[in-house]
Amino acid sequence: MNYLELINKCLVELNYKQVSTFSELTKNEHKKLKNIINTLNTEICTSDRWNFLQRKKQIVLPKNTSEIENTIDGRIESIIIDGQKYEFFEDYEKFFINSQPLNTYSLFNDKILFPMFNQEKNIEVLYFTRFCAKNSEGKEKLFLEDAEDSSLIPDIFAEPILVYGACMRLKGNPQHIRFSYWLSMYKDALANMRSKISASLDEIPSVKMHRR
């Protein structure tokens, strides 16, 4: 479901008039709704280690080099070198004096720090992307901006989570006649997604709905 379709679903729930084109979304309520959908989409995507955000990238560490630019667009989950998993070590200063524990890496500003090897290494990086949306060609991006953009959240979950969640936030009034229904549908969809596609069973994601 693309961005325009999500917005129109919200407009139906809110008893507002639907639009035919993205350029018609000019009213203040339209602008608020667009912002709310994006905010909610970002919050959901960053709330847990969702498997639909898992990515893999290979980078090269030149020989006799202990640091490279961090080109990973997201949160690093694992680093593997020569079939060995390297653990994150927070004390980056140890790497500058070559006294870090074995099989560890660290981060410093925009660098990834490694032990120094006497030969080039191909490094496999598993990570969770920081992007939350994609365009019609599948290119990932931070935000929903154009009519054909879509969330990285799988469609089966994106529609109820973003539509009902956005309607709640736009109205922000528990006394609204449909608020309880929106809340129930939102919570059910989020719980369903959590149980089926969360990459972590140890960390329970939580997204708070704030009143406006």
Side-chain angles (χ1 to χ4, degrees):
M1 176 165 288
N2 65 38
Y3 194 20
L4 180 58
E5 291 169 338
L6 282 173
I7 293 171
N8 270 326
K9 284 277 188 178
C10 291
L11 294 176
V12 170
E13 283 294 324
L14 295 162
N15 290 321
Y16 294 160
K17 183 181 177 181
Q18 295 187 71
V19 298
S20 299
T21 64
F22 203 70
S23 60
E24 295 177 59
L25 298 170
T26 57
K27 297 179 179 179
N28 285 338
E29 293 293 280
H30 293 156
K31 295 175 182 178
K32 289 179 183 178
L33 193 56
K34 289 162 68 176
N35 182 62
I36 289 170
I37 290 173
N38 259 305
T39 299
L40 185 57
N41 185 55
T42 299
E43 287 180 3
I44 295 293
C45 287
T46 57
S47 69
D48 193 38
R49 299 162 58 248
W50 304 110
N51 63 15
F52 57 82
L53 299 179
Q54 290 177 321
R55 302 289 183 269
K56 181 171 67 172
K57 183 176 183 178
Q58 284 206 338
I59 56 178
V60 175
L61 178 68
K63 65 179 182 179
N64 301 323
T65 302
S66 61
E67 62 181 55
I68 55 175
E69 291 288 331
N70 184 359
T71 58
I72 305 302
D73 284 318
R75 296 170 289 170
I76 295 175
E77 172 72 5
S78 300
I79 281 183
I80 300 172
I81 305 176
D82 294 336
Q84 173 70 50
K85 181 178 178 180
Y86 278 57
E87 302 290 341
F88 176 73
F89 186 64
E90 188 173 3
D91 188 0
Y92 57 82
E93 292 181 348
K94 297 290 186 183
F95 285 79
F96 292 109
I97 57 176
N98 199 32
S99 61
Q100 73 278 0
L102 289 174
N103 300 329
T104 60
Y105 74 95
S106 193
L107 300 171
F108 177 71
N109 287 339
D110 57 351
K111 305 284 187 180
I112 308 179
L113 308 180
F114 297 99
M116 190 175 294
F117 299 99
N118 58 15
Q119 57 184 347
E120 182 179 279
K121 294 291 181 179
N122 290 316
I123 298 172
E124 187 172 67
V125 182
L126 307 180
Y127 67 101
F128 291 91
T129 181
R130 68 187 181 95
F131 298 118
C132 303
K134 61 183 177 182
N135 65 19
S136 59
E137 297 178 348
K139 181 176 176 56
E140 295 183 356
K141 56 196 303 187
L142 286 173
F143 306 111
L144 297 158
E145 299 170 301
D146 304 311
E148 297 300 321
D149 290 350
S150 58
S151 171
L152 291 185
I153 300 172
D155 273 351
I156 191 173
F157 304 112
E159 179 182 347
I161 288 174
L162 298 180
V163 171
Y164 298 124
C167 289
M168 278 194 299
R169 288 201 178 183
L170 183 67
K171 290 304 180 181
N173 179 11
Q175 303 306 314
H176 189 281
I177 190 171
R178 293 183 64 80
F179 190 91
S180 294
Y181 171 73
W182 293 333
L183 176 60
S184 175
M185 296 298 287
Y186 167 82
K187 290 174 67 176
D188 286 350
L190 184 58
N192 192 26
M193 184 170 76
R194 179 184 300 139
S195 67
K196 292 184 177 180
I197 60 176
S198 176
S200 172
L201 295 178
D202 300 320
E203 299 178 9
I204 303 298
S206 175
V207 179
K208 297 181 179 179
M209 301 303 298
H210 301 286
R211 296 183 186 180
R212 295 179 61 86

